[in-house]
Amino acid sequence: MQATDFRRPNQVREAVYGYLKALLLSGRFAPGERLSEPLLAKELGVSRTPVREALMRLAEEGLLELVPGKGARVRAFTPEEVEEVYGVRALLEGEAAKEAALRARPWELLELEELLRAIDEAPREDYPEQMRRDLEFHRALVRLSGNRTLLRLYEDLLATLVLARSAVPMLSQEEATRREHWAILKALKARDSEGAKRAVEAHIYRFRDLVVRRLLEGV
């Protein structure tokens, strides 16, 4: 973890919060991993107060758990919670794909294709970077729906999705994932709204099943 420059006193709280949330979104922390308040404060070059406040905010958002006497740890999800989260994701992203297939402009689909190629070009075995590029592809897909309410709901769900998926740190360059991504793009280019929805749902439900299976194996 690299130290970050937080020199503006009036921005310290938001900067620390944003930095820690970005780390969670990157997939760098494993479910159940503990976060040291003193260590984070030292690495960021700030007092412990803004770090403590940031950890509390992240706990309120359901991303961390505050354990009395032990500090903060990354939230670990139950199989039932994963089923719920991925079910909501399928609803939101499936609807977004339907709308995107009908309204996305050719140049926007080309940009989406470039994002897929960027995933393939990410350093091998660099899970956080592949996760970041994978998320950018899915965010871009939802944005192409043109539905701002849907996008807002999806953005609210993203951090939870990242933490749930981190139970199975599978690279986005894995062949089955690549096929599913390109199937989504193919349906969008064909203006096949129902096909795009089905392709997205197949992709999401496969990952749901992988995560649930991994959690059950660990029980």
Coordinates of all heavy atoms in Angstrom, one line a residue, residues 28 36 51 72 86 103 113 116 125 130 151 163 169 180 194 215:
R28 N -8.4 -5.8 -3.0 CA -7.1 -6.1 -2.3 C -7.2 -6.7 -0.9 O -6.3 -7.3 -0.4 CB -6.3 -4.8 -2.2 CG -5.8 -4.2 -3.5 CD -4.9 -3.0 -3.4 NE -4.6 -2.4 -4.7 CZ -3.7 -2.8 -5.5 NH1 -2.9 -3.8 -5.1 NH2 -3.5 -2.3 -6.7
S36 N -5.9 -2.4 10.4 CA -5.3 -1.8 11.5 C -5.4 -0.3 11.4 O -4.8 0.3 10.5 CB -3.8 -2.2 11.6 OG -3.1 -1.4 12.5
V51 N -9.1 8.3 10.2 CA -9.1 6.8 9.8 C -10.2 6.2 10.5 O -11.0 5.4 10.0 CB -7.8 6.2 10.1 CG1 -7.9 4.6 9.9 CG2 -6.6 6.7 9.3
A72 N -11.6 -3.1 13.1 CA -12.4 -3.3 11.9 C -11.9 -4.5 11.1 O -10.7 -4.8 11.1 CB -12.4 -2.0 11.1
Y86 N -26.5 -11.0 -5.7 CA -26.3 -11.3 -7.1 C -27.7 -11.3 -7.8 O -27.8 -11.0 -9.0 CB -25.6 -12.6 -7.3 CG -24.1 -12.4 -7.4 CD1 -23.4 -12.3 -6.2 CD2 -23.4 -12.4 -8.6 CE1 -22.0 -12.1 -6.3 CE2 -22.1 -12.2 -8.7 CZ -21.3 -12.1 -7.5 OH -20.0 -11.9 -7.5
R103 N -30.5 1.5 -27.4 CA -30.2 2.9 -27.6 C -28.7 3.2 -27.8 O -28.3 4.3 -28.2 CB -30.7 3.7 -26.3 CG -29.9 3.4 -25.1 CD -30.2 4.4 -24.0 NE -29.8 5.7 -24.4 CZ -28.6 6.2 -24.3 NH1 -27.6 5.4 -24.0 NH2 -28.3 7.4 -24.7
E113 N -16.1 -2.2 -26.4 CA -15.2 -3.3 -26.9 C -13.8 -3.0 -26.5 O -13.0 -3.9 -26.1 CB -15.3 -3.4 -28.4 CG -14.4 -4.5 -29.0 CD -14.7 -4.6 -30.5 OE1 -15.7 -4.1 -31.0 OE2 -13.9 -5.3 -31.1
L116 N -13.2 -4.3 -23.0 CA -13.0 -5.7 -23.0 C -11.5 -6.0 -23.3 O -10.9 -6.9 -22.7 CB -14.0 -6.4 -23.9 CG -15.4 -6.6 -23.4 CD1 -16.2 -7.5 -24.4 CD2 -15.4 -7.2 -22.0
E125 N -2.3 -12.5 -13.6 CA -2.2 -12.7 -12.2 C -2.4 -11.5 -11.3 O -2.2 -11.6 -10.1 CB -1.0 -13.5 -11.8 CG -0.7 -14.8 -12.6 CD -1.9 -15.7 -12.6 OE1 -2.6 -15.9 -11.6 OE2 -2.2 -16.2 -13.7
Q130 N -7.3 -6.5 -12.8 CA -8.3 -7.1 -13.6 C -9.7 -6.8 -13.1 O -10.7 -6.6 -13.8 CB -8.1 -8.6 -13.8 CG -6.8 -8.9 -14.6 CD -6.8 -10.3 -15.2 OE1 -7.9 -10.9 -15.4 NE2 -5.6 -10.8 -15.4
L151 N -28.6 3.4 -12.9 CA -27.1 3.6 -12.7 C -26.8 3.9 -11.2 O -25.9 3.3 -10.6 CB -26.6 4.6 -13.6 CG -25.1 5.0 -13.4 CD1 -24.2 3.7 -13.7 CD2 -24.7 6.1 -14.3
L163 N -16.9 -7.1 -2.7 CA -16.5 -7.9 -1.5 C -17.0 -9.3 -1.6 O -16.3 -10.2 -1.2 CB -17.0 -7.2 -0.3 CG -16.4 -5.8 0.1 CD1 -17.0 -5.4 1.4 CD2 -14.9 -5.9 0.2
P169 N -11.4 -15.1 -6.0 CA -10.6 -14.1 -6.8 C -10.2 -14.7 -8.2 O -9.0 -15.0 -8.5 CB -9.4 -13.9 -5.9 CG -9.2 -15.2 -5.2 CD -10.6 -15.6 -4.9
E180 N -18.2 -15.0 -21.9 CA -19.5 -14.4 -21.5 C -19.5 -12.9 -21.8 O -20.5 -12.3 -22.2 CB -19.7 -14.7 -20.0 CG -20.0 -16.1 -19.7 CD -19.8 -16.5 -18.2 OE1 -19.3 -15.6 -17.5 OE2 -20.1 -17.6 -17.9
E194 N -33.3 -8.9 -25.8 CA -33.5 -10.1 -24.9 C -32.3 -10.9 -24.8 O -31.9 -11.5 -23.8 CB -34.7 -10.9 -25.4 CG -36.0 -10.2 -25.3 CD -36.4 -10.0 -23.8 OE1 -36.0 -10.8 -22.9 OE2 -37.0 -8.9 -23.5
L215 N -18.2 -20.5 -0.6 CA -18.5 -20.2 0.8 C -19.0 -21.5 1.5 O -18.7 -21.7 2.7 CB -19.6 -19.1 0.9 CG -19.2 -17.7 0.4 CD1 -20.3 -16.8 0.4 CD2 -18.0 -17.2 1.3

